[in-house]
Amino acid sequence: MQERFSFQTEAKQLLELMIHSVYSNRDIFLRELVSNASDALDKRRIELLAHPEYEEMEPGKKLSSPGIRLSRGDEGNILFVSDNGVGMNRDELTSYIGTIARSGTKEFLAALKERKEAASAEALIGQFGVGFYSSFMVADRVDVVTRRLGDEKGWRFSSPGDGTYTIEESEKEEPGTTVIVYLKKPDPEKNEKDYTDEWTIRDIIRKYSDFIAYPIVMATEKKIDGNTEVVDEVLNSGKAIWRRSEKDVSDEEYTEFYKHISGDWEPPLGHVTFSVEGGTEFRGLLFFPARAPFDLHFAPRREGVSLYIKNVFIMNDCKGLVPSWLRFIAGVVDSEDLPLNISREILQDNPHLRIIRKSLIRRVLSALKKMMGEDRTKYNGFWKEFGSVIKEGLVPAELSEKGNMDGILDVCLFPSLNAGDGYISLKEYVDSMKEGQKYIYYLTGRKLSVLRSSPLLERCRRMGWDVLLLADPVDEIFAPSLPSFEGKEFRSLEREDALEEVDLSASEGEKPEGAAGFLKEVLSDFVKDVRISFRLTNSPACLVNDREGGSFAMEQILRSMGQEVPPMKRIMEINPGHPVIKGLQRLLDSGEDMGSMKEYAFLLHDQCILAEGGHIEDPSLLANRIAVMLSRMLEAEKGPESTGL
Ligand code: ADP
Ligand code: MG
């Protein structure tokens, strides 16, 4: 009995997008179908490990050897893509093909709607990997006839791409899947290809699917001794790309392989190959994507590295091969030592895996260092996409694997006071340190633009010392525990002992001790101490931490996460050269009543918080104080004018 269904809403929207899209390259539908067939054959192998009895599909009849077959319909305009992989049962057919279960679908569609231009839509679709649906670019009907490994019945899915599909029971001799693509008539005016043409198919397979590990077979006509015979021909070389020597593999081949394993649309930014012998033996090929996937930060990401053992596919998303701070990397690792029947659970504790992981981290970091040295513009682009993820590797909890710290610091880039819109590396920072500068200075905060105008930077700006500006949320977590780089310790400019190596006091004039004492008394609920400091040049005052205190931004982060944090009392530093401080001192000297001056102290404290982009506890109180001050000032302005009349 035939049943009719509707595609899930999101699936329908994606489908429409595919059909109406302006793709320049429709060839990729075949790549996608072959890629699915290859995945299904990988799954067959895994399934047979658990159920060796499935090997015998009916009494006395064994499964044929794994492969993919392309064939053309007799009446033309039909292309069959068959595999004897794991197949699908009825439920799988509706849930894998009729719906999109992948997390982030809604976000993806919303992002697509926002971007009208075709080019970025393409990139987004690529990130999402719409796979099977791409066949609707070339077809006006697609059928899927499939039988699940271990089942006796088969099923036929059929859809004209209008948002509905039917499912009915169907004969199927062997487990596996045949996708039947009813091709649209190619329009020669639009340069559309005939996808039943032998040479068109050969070209596409060679270009996109050569590395597929299973034979892709097609019956072709051959002249043998003057007679035309039909013979099966294998169209792909099937050679694992990571087992070939790097100089024999073209960039295009690497790119196509990357697209196959990652589902990305864009070529990768770069890759690393490696072959390690002696002791633990393994090979591998890892890619750096060009762009962060849209869900890098908000969805639990799968890990992108697949595990092979002795050239046999074992699993995708192999946990533990790369640390989570390298989760954006896609690639393959092929081990010679792990046992073929290893399970995900046991794998975690395998000593070979730990050795491989360590080696991968080292290789990735040195490849990044190389990229940074060779093409800084490219590396800046990379850092912009993935830097915040890599920096997660500096968080103390991640550093349980010792020895990564230096390697990670080597490839880190930071915005800085002197770097303009660009970035500076730590090596560059240390090289540019001025005479007498002892520490690598940094300032953390929540927004780069606010950081740039922080009063704490004033003295450094005047002296020409550079300061790293750390505005990623993750920076706040690792910065306090950074040890040193090339023998130079890190120090936050928020600390009271920042710039201790500079003797600032000598050149400046009077010390307004009275003003300091007055402020300390009035502000005792808010600050621990008030000190005279020469670090400021333009601002009247600022707030700093004592040696032990955490950073102010950290306190804010904890609070925004809903944690109870006792308000941190900081130290107020005042600038003796500033008119505000001088004015306070003058009023005190002239015997002004302290009670009437309190408002100045509160205003000054709020002003410090505003300048660092902080949160004012009681904005309406501040607004009132400003209003009172303004009216007083305006009163004073009015005075001479009115008398002048
Ligand atoms: P993806 O391959 O990225 O998962 P696709 O749209 O290409 O997305 O395929 C969707 C799902 O349909 C696959 O994950 C798989 O479960 C199933 N599928 C597609 N083609 C086949 C096939 N030939 N054999 C078995 N399952 C398949
Ligand atoms: Mg696919």
Side-chain angles (χ1 to χ4, degrees):
M1 196 192 72
Q2 194 185 65
E3 278 188 84
R4 181 169 290 277
F5 301 88
S6 276
F7 281 94
Q8 168 213 33
T9 318
E10 281 94 11
K12 207 186 278 183
Q13 283 171 291
L14 277 182
L15 196 62
E16 270 170 30
L17 245 155
M18 292 310 301
I19 296 169
H20 302 297
S21 70
V22 284
Y23 284 121
S24 42
N25 185 2
R26 308 185 331 150
D27 295 358
I28 55 107
F29 89 92
L30 189 51
R31 170 187 80 186
E32 293 300 326
L33 295 183
V34 166
S35 166
N36 284 349
S38 166
D39 291 347
L41 289 161
D42 286 342
K43 287 183 197 150
R44 157 177 149 160
R45 207 194 71 80
I46 310 289
E47 184 89 7
L48 285 176
L49 285 178
H51 297 279
E53 72 277 12
Y54 290 170
E55 189 75 53
E56 193 163 287
M57 56 180 170
E58 49 194 79
K61 214 164 164 202
K62 292 207 161 199
L63 295 175
S64 48
S65 66
I68 300 167
R69 177 175 287 276
L70 306 180
S71 37
R72 286 137 323 147
D74 294 333
E75 62 269 44
N77 285 345
I78 302 183
L79 181 69
F80 300 84
V81 181
S82 305
D83 63 70
N84 51 359
V86 69
M88 286 174 273
N89 60 30
R90 191 175 180 284
D91 285 349
E92 288 167 337
L93 199 50
T94 45
S95 65
Y96 295 161
I97 306 278
T99 61
I100 296 174
R102 237 174 101 172
S103 62
T105 312
K106 278 218 170 69
E107 292 81 355
F108 165 78
L109 286 165
L112 251 189
K113 251 186 214 131
E114 269 178 27
R115 306 204 198 176
K116 292 268 151 42
E117 330 93 79
S120 52
E122 270 197 38
L124 276 170
I125 287 177
Q127 288 201 354
F128 203 73
V130 279
F132 171 78
Y133 291 167
S134 61
S135 51
F136 285 99
M137 289 193 298
V138 297
D140 40 35
R141 178 179 148 198
V142 180
D143 285 10
V144 178
V145 181
T146 182
R147 175 177 152 191
R148 180 70 164 77
L149 185 64
D151 283 1
E152 273 149 33
K153 270 198 253 179
W155 299 94
R156 176 184 282 260
F157 158 106
S158 177
S159 174
D162 64 351
T164 68
Y165 61 94
T166 57
I167 288 192
E168 62 193 308
E169 226 179 287
S170 169
E171 287 287 309
K172 180 108 177 40
E173 224 173 281
E174 206 189 340
T177 303
T178 299
V179 178
I180 308 166
V181 187
Y182 297 85
L183 296 159
K184 292 179 195 159
K185 259 218 150 10
D187 182 349
E189 276 189 12
K190 286 194 192 146
N191 236 344
E192 288 174 358
K193 292 178 196 163
D194 172 7
Y195 290 109
T196 60
D197 176 66
E198 179 186 328
W199 291 97
T200 304
I201 294 176
R202 276 178 190 278
D203 278 352
I204 297 176
I205 296 299
R206 195 170 328 110
K207 188 160 168 206
Y208 296 114
S209 310
D210 188 65
F211 52 81
I212 294 287
Y214 306 95
I216 305 171
V217 176
M218 183 166 71
T220 56
E221 292 185 349
K222 274 236 156 65
K223 278 230 169 9
I224 299 175
D225 300 335
N227 299 321
T228 307
E229 288 185 30
V230 177
V231 290
D232 274 351
E233 203 182 328
V234 178
L235 305 183
N236 58 325
S237 77
K239 187 134 184 20
I241 196 164
W242 60 89
R243 287 182 173 253
R244 292 165 60 191
S245 152
E246 199 171 1
K247 63 179 186 334
D248 297 335
V249 182
S250 68
D251 286 349
E252 287 75 35
E253 285 177 290
Y254 278 127
T255 298
E256 286 313 324
F257 180 69
Y258 166 73
K259 288 180 177 173
H260 168 67
I261 56 169
S262 68
D264 196 351
W265 185 278
E266 285 182 87
L269 203 62
H271 67 263
V272 207
T273 61
F274 43 87
S275 171
V276 178
E277 280 164 38
T280 294
E281 216 171 296
F282 61 97
R283 295 180 179 74
L285 169 58
L286 302 180
F287 294 94
F288 303 118
R291 214 181 291 271
F294 66 95
D295 58 354
L296 182 64
H297 288 287
F298 68 79
R301 290 282 301 163
R302 61 186 197 104
E303 269 139 68
V305 181
S306 307
L307 178 67
Y308 282 66
I309 295 175
K310 300 192 180 72
N311 208 14
V312 176
F313 171 81
I314 304 296
M315 64 181 83
N316 287 322
D317 315 334
C318 182
K319 282 247 165 345
L321 264 180
V322 291
S324 82
W325 51 273
L326 291 177
R327 60 184 176 273
F328 54 87
I329 283 181
V332 166
V333 167
D334 188 354
S335 157
E336 295 294 322
D337 306 294
L338 294 167
L340 270 169
N341 57 356
I342 198 158
S343 72
R344 274 185 196 269
E345 293 70 41
I346 314 176
L347 190 63
Q348 292 290 315
D349 303 319
N350 189 289
H352 287 299
L353 186 89
R354 279 202 296 276
I355 294 173
I356 295 175
R357 173 184 163 111
K358 233 177 134 165
S359 161
L360 291 194
I361 294 175
R362 227 186 40 237
R363 280 155 210 279
V364 165
L365 288 175
S366 74
L368 290 178
K369 194 170 171 181
K370 189 160 159 246
M371 194 201 299
M372 180 165 152
E374 287 175 356
D375 188 342
R376 186 54 184 275
T377 316
K378 181 167 148 184
Y379 190 74
N380 281 358
F382 166 81
W383 189 257
K384 205 165 172 204
E385 297 287 320
F386 299 108
S388 59
V389 180
I390 292 184
K391 285 187 291 185
E392 289 174 18
L394 295 169
V395 170
E398 282 288 334
L399 280 169
S400 49
E401 285 160 292
K402 282 284 166 252
N404 292 335
M405 175 67 95
D406 289 344
I408 299 177
L409 287 181
D410 268 346
V411 301
C412 277
L413 293 180
F414 301 98
S416 84
L417 180 58
N418 297 344
D421 292 335
Y423 292 111
I424 190 167
S425 71
L426 289 175
K427 175 101 183 50
E428 290 157 353
Y429 184 97
V430 169
D431 289 347
S432 73
M433 277 170 72
K434 294 280 186 307
E435 176 109 12
Q437 183 180 354
K438 220 166 126 190
Y439 300 100
I440 298 175
Y441 282 109
Y442 67 86
L443 191 59
T444 57
R446 291 202 292 183
K447 250 179 106 176
L448 201 53
S449 56
V450 177
L451 276 184
R452 284 193 195 285
S453 52
S454 166
L456 294 175
L457 293 172
E458 289 172 5
R459 181 59 63 177
C460 288
R461 190 176 277 126
R462 180 174 280 193
M463 296 189 300
W465 291 14
D466 206 357
V467 178
L468 305 176
L469 303 176
L470 310 186
D472 270 338
V474 63
D475 295 339
E476 204 62 62
I477 301 169
F478 69 75
S481 58
L482 282 177
S484 60
F485 182 83
E486 294 194 350
K488 305 285 180 198
E489 280 176 44
F490 290 84
R491 179 151 293 185
S492 167
L493 263 192
E494 275 189 82
R495 270 174 52 159
E496 55 159 337
D497 55 355
L499 302 179
E500 64 177 9
E501 65 266 54
V502 196
D503 179 17
L504 297 165
S505 54
S507 55
E508 319 280 335
E510 302 260 303
K511 291 195 168 183
E513 303 286 358
F518 157 74
L519 288 168
K520 185 172 173 181
E521 195 181 317
V522 179
L523 297 174
S524 62
D525 281 350
F526 310 106
V527 300
K528 222 191 263 187
D529 197 4
V530 177
R531 296 180 193 161
I532 297 162
S533 149
F534 297 92
R535 76 156 91 205
L536 296 169
T537 62
N538 304 328
S539 303
C542 65
L543 296 167
V544 299
N545 297 329
D546 59 15
R547 279 155 228 252
E548 296 85 44
S551 83
F552 177 64
M554 187 66 197
E555 181 191 328
Q556 298 211 313
I557 287 181
L558 290 175
R559 214 169 265 155
S560 70
M561 293 188 325
Q563 294 205 23
E564 289 273 340
V565 203
M568 194 169 75
K569 272 198 188 176
R570 292 187 285 166
I571 296 163
M572 179 185 262
E573 292 193 354
I574 55 173
N575 175 2
H578 196 279
V580 166
I581 304 300
K582 282 184 171 162
L584 280 178
Q585 185 66 43
R586 209 170 40 240
L587 282 180
L588 287 165
D589 289 345
S590 68
E592 176 84 22
D593 170 34
M594 297 236 292
S596 66
M597 286 171 59
K598 271 187 184 165
E599 293 296 300
Y600 294 126
F602 294 133
L603 261 179
L604 189 62
H605 181 250
D606 281 351
Q607 186 269 339
C608 289
I609 293 176
L610 283 176
E612 64 189 13
H615 171 74
I616 299 284
E617 287 298 329
D618 189 345
S620 66
L621 193 59
L622 171 62
N624 268 334
R625 287 188 177 127
I626 294 177
V628 170
M629 288 295 156
L630 277 176
S631 33
R632 262 193 229 163
M633 279 164 60
L634 291 170
E635 280 299 316
E637 290 271 329
K638 208 174 76 187
E641 244 173 60
S642 48
T643 50
L645 271 175

